[in-house]
Amino acid sequence: MPRCPNFDFSKQIHGLKIKNFASLSTCICMKKISFLVFFLSCHKLKCKKKCIYKSTLSGVIELSKKLFRMSTNKVYLYGGQVTSWKNEYREELLFLSSKETFRPPKPIRGGIPICFPQFRNLGTLEQHGFARTQFWSVDPDPPPFPITTSSRAFVDLILRNSKDDVKIWPHRYEFRLRVALGPGGDLMLTSRIRNTNTNGKPFTFTFAYHTYLAVTDISEVRVEGLETLDYLDNLQNRQRFTEQGDALTFESEVDKVYLSTPTKIAIIDHERKRTFVVRKDGLPDAAVWNPWDKKAKAIADLGDDDYKHMLCVEAACVEKPITLKPGEEWRGRQEISAVPSSYCSGQLDPKKIFLRY
């Protein structure tokens, strides 16, 4: 089996559980191959055209380590997208559509899509921007992690502007993404976006981690930490309102962007007796979305009943877009943990310090 000559895997991917270590691959025949891949157990494709390296449709990086209570995480190079996060009981914590086919150029429905450089349709680009439909690469020169966090399993990905990008968004950029598992199985994503324009021009963007959480029954879920906050309601032409309830619950379609939110939000799944805690840094807003029954049926890549088992709570920067001058860099970070529901948003430690790199 040929190896890709461009990467030293031992230096680029840390804490990986790898069954087959020879498989960074790509294929010229894009009708047959879905993803730029390396990892794990791969399967050969019958491709009529010549492949550069070995091909596979499964295309993921898997982070896994016994030190982390056997929590695991899968990341696709297509979109730089996390698609799976399992706890020590092998329970899936992220939602993935029952109709997902993993066929570019369509975005992956579920997991944690990266919305950049545009959130939703708030601009001239495609919905949620182009980062989620690009092929990312393993970062050949990732920035160092602090010594205190060296025991984590993590992988560094990078996305740079392409010729196709420049046609629709005329800027040069460098987007570094680190996906990591913490000692307790927490899932951490850190984004670093740098303006690398050589023409002296700044650029402006909006951003979100479009996180699809897996829930048992959406009607038995509540969100704490957003009460009394202002929000933009996308179901009412982005009019601004103030949340009135003690907690956010779900009885119909919800599509809101909460503004100036706290650094910590709790999503409580009563039936599963589990609480997701989202901690964020550099991302002042939070989008909350569930399509409910009618819209779910109208979304081609979403099962009719999938809405019952998903909730999007998205750490975002939407109301006030980010502007970077050449050479400037922005960082945004999200950490998600899953804890027993005996904890609630008011009882969790709000002073937990984010570990940066």
Side-chain angles (χ1 to χ4, degrees):
M1 184 185 302
R3 294 196 182 196
C4 173
N6 297 323
F7 294 99
D8 179 344
F9 293 97
S10 63
K11 292 182 179 180
Q12 307 309 328
I13 309 171
H14 305 261
L16 296 188
K17 178 182 179 182
I18 298 181
K19 297 178 182 177
N20 189 334
F21 202 55
S23 51
L24 174 60
S25 57
T26 187
C27 177
I28 295 173
C29 179
M30 291 307 294
K31 291 183 179 179
K32 292 287 184 179
I33 182 69
S34 288
F35 301 97
L36 177 66
V37 182
F38 57 108
F39 113 112
L40 226 52
S41 56
C42 300
H43 305 281
K44 291 183 179 179
L45 290 178
K46 294 180 179 179
C47 182
K48 295 181 180 179
K49 297 186 178 181
K50 184 179 180 181
C51 295
I52 301 173
Y53 302 109
K54 181 174 173 292
S55 306
T56 175
L57 284 173
S58 56
V60 298
I61 304 165
E62 180 165 313
L63 301 181
S64 175
K65 211 164 186 179
K66 290 183 179 179
L67 291 177
F68 306 146
R69 304 184 305 181
M70 286 307 295
S71 297
T72 63
N73 171 236
K74 292 182 180 180
V75 188
Y76 275 81
L77 293 183
Y78 179 68
Q81 186 162 332
V82 176
T83 59
S84 176
W85 172 39
K86 293 182 180 181
N87 61 17
E88 66 270 31
Y89 305 111
R90 311 303 296 163
E91 296 171 325
E92 182 57 66
L93 303 174
L94 296 178
F95 167 85
L96 193 65
S97 170
S98 62
K99 289 188 175 182
E100 182 52 54
T101 58
F102 299 95
R103 292 182 181 177
K106 294 182 178 180
I108 300 171
R109 174 72 68 181
I112 308 180
I114 302 293
C115 301
F116 170 84
Q118 176 182 296
F119 178 71
R120 286 182 56 86
N121 57 355
L122 304 178
T124 59
L125 303 176
E126 60 186 281
Q127 175 93 348
H128 291 318
F130 49 72
R132 64 182 184 149
T133 55
Q134 299 278 7
F135 287 93
W136 294 54
S137 302
V138 177
D139 192 343
D141 186 25
F145 228 21
I147 296 175
T148 56
T149 62
S150 60
S151 63
R152 291 179 177 172
F154 62 90
V155 63
D156 291 282
L157 303 182
I158 190 166
L159 180 68
R160 292 187 174 96
N161 54 283
S162 67
K163 292 181 180 179
D164 291 335
D165 294 345
V166 173
K167 294 176 183 178
I168 58 175
W169 200 62
H171 301 290
R172 294 171 59 90
Y173 65 90
E174 187 176 79
F175 188 149
R176 281 187 157 93
L177 173 67
R178 173 164 286 183
V179 181
L181 283 173
D186 299 349
L187 175 60
M188 293 159 283
L189 286 80
T190 305
S191 292
R192 296 173 54 157
I193 299 172
R194 179 179 292 274
N195 182 336
T196 58
N197 276 334
T198 56
N199 58 9
K201 293 184 179 180
F203 63 65
T204 299
F205 63 93
T206 50
F207 179 93
Y209 291 116
H210 197 319
T211 306
Y212 287 76
L213 296 172
V215 298
T216 311
D217 181 352
I218 187 61
S219 64
E220 297 295 326
V221 172
R222 79 172 190 268
V223 179
E224 294 185 355
L226 302 176
E227 51 274 9
T228 74
L229 298 181
D230 287 355
Y231 64 87
L232 305 177
D233 194 333
N234 292 311
L235 300 180
Q236 299 191 50
N237 297 316
R238 302 188 74 241
Q239 290 187 58
R240 189 172 184 133
F241 300 94
T242 300
E243 187 61 57
Q244 300 297 326
D246 293 333
L248 182 61
T249 56
F250 302 90
E251 299 177 345
S252 60
E253 182 182 358
V254 172
D255 191 352
K256 301 176 179 179
V257 177
Y258 289 83
L259 310 174
S260 301
T261 59
T263 58
K264 181 187 57 176
I265 300 169
I267 301 93
I268 302 168
D269 184 341
H270 288 292
E271 189 165 329
R272 182 67 68 178
K273 297 182 179 179
R274 173 190 295 143
T275 297
F276 293 102
V277 182
V278 177
R279 293 180 173 88
K280 54 194 181 68
D281 186 33
L283 297 160
D285 306 321
V288 179
W289 179 65
N290 183 286
W292 219 250
D293 53 353
K294 291 183 179 179
K295 184 163 287 186
K297 293 177 181 179
I299 299 174
D301 60 352
L302 191 67
D304 290 353
D305 292 328
D306 280 357
Y307 77 94
K308 297 178 181 178
H309 310 297
M310 58 156 280
L311 177 63
C312 289
V313 178
E314 312 164 34
C317 188
V318 177
E319 184 188 25
K320 298 177 181 178
I322 301 152
T323 298
L324 295 178
K325 297 177 182 178
E328 289 184 337
E329 181 179 88
W330 169 85
R331 297 188 187 190
R333 188 174 183 280
Q334 170 181 274
E335 176 180 338
I336 314 173
S337 57
V339 299
S341 284
S342 55
Y343 296 88
C344 69
S345 61
Q347 293 173 316
L348 291 166
D349 182 6
K351 297 181 179 179
K352 182 175 181 180
I353 299 174
F354 282 104
L355 297 170
R356 300 179 175 87
Y357 72 86

